[in-house]
Amino acid sequence: MKKQTFFSLLLGCVVSLGGAQLATAQTAASATAGTSASGASTGKDLAGSAALSPNHTTLLKALQAAGLAEQAKGAGPYTVFAPDNAAFEKIPAETMATLLKPASKKQLAKILSYHVVSGNVMAADLKDGQVLKTVQGESLTVGVQGGTVTIKDAKGGTATVTQPDIKTTNGVVHSIDTVLMPAK
């Protein structure tokens, strides 16, 4: 049951990212001081936002292929490191095609759950060298240098947080530029 909840959260993060981007665009358009993409809030839970992020359509496709798209509610709180479209483009096309096939559903679900940690973890709370346990069961290592947050996966790959602290009512989302890969 817990796995269904965080998968739902991951699906919701795709939806919520669109809402946060919309809120950010509206804020910029109205020239309200002190508000940026960092710290944007959708004002909704991860599954309830109406807009889809144009930068996370591949993540949504992966969630659908993993059979997770129908589970649209999650209690949280969870922190999601959400790969953007460019992150998925770094994966060879033939590998992505294989992962999106029904026979790879379980492997894809394992990769996606590797991007989720329990709790509400804001970017400012992350410390250099900190180890985060994912709901998938493996660990991620945080790097913080000069205000830039990176996440190192079990295979030595590193993702940079490109849009931090997208707040929702049941978690927080950090958009990243690389798909994180578990050891197993």
Side-chain angles (χ1 to χ4, degrees):
M1 184 61 113
K2 186 174 182 179
K3 284 187 179 186
Q4 290 177 340
T5 301
F6 66 76
F7 287 137
S8 299
L9 181 77
L10 196 54
L11 170 63
C13 84
V14 175
V15 175
S16 296
L17 284 165
Q21 290 170 345
L22 177 61
T24 301
Q26 289 170 339
T27 300
S30 65
T32 302
T35 303
S36 67
S38 180
S41 177
T42 65
K44 299 180 181 183
D45 70 20
L46 290 164
S49 184
L52 292 176
S53 168
N55 295 324
H56 294 84
T57 56
T58 306
L59 177 58
L60 180 59
K61 184 177 180 180
L63 289 164
Q64 291 168 336
L68 307 174
E70 296 304 313
Q71 302 163 356
K73 293 191 185 274
Y78 289 101
T79 298
V80 178
F81 296 99
D84 61 19
N85 291 342
F88 283 101
E89 290 171 6
K90 294 177 183 178
I91 297 174
E94 61 275 0
T95 302
M96 275 304 299
T98 299
L99 283 171
L100 294 173
K101 290 182 179 179
S104 300
K105 189 175 185 176
K106 193 173 189 178
Q107 181 183 7
L108 184 57
K110 183 184 280 189
I111 292 168
L112 294 174
S113 66
Y114 187 60
H115 291 78
V116 182
V117 298
S118 292
N120 242 347
V121 183
M122 304 304 286
D125 298 332
L126 296 170
K127 306 293 181 224
D128 192 43
Q130 180 178 2
V131 176
L132 303 171
K133 184 176 179 183
T134 70
V135 296
Q136 180 263 1
E138 294 184 42
S139 297
L140 300 168
T141 304
V142 176
V144 179
Q145 298 295 322
T148 300
V149 176
T150 58
I151 306 296
K152 186 174 181 181
D153 66 23
K155 293 193 174 184
T158 302
T160 299
V161 174
T162 57
Q163 186 177 4
D165 301 336
I166 301 165
K167 300 173 198 167
T168 66
T169 59
N170 60 344
V172 63
V173 178
H174 305 289
S175 185
I176 57 175
D177 67 355
T178 302
V179 176
L180 302 167
M181 299 302 283
K184 299 176 188 177

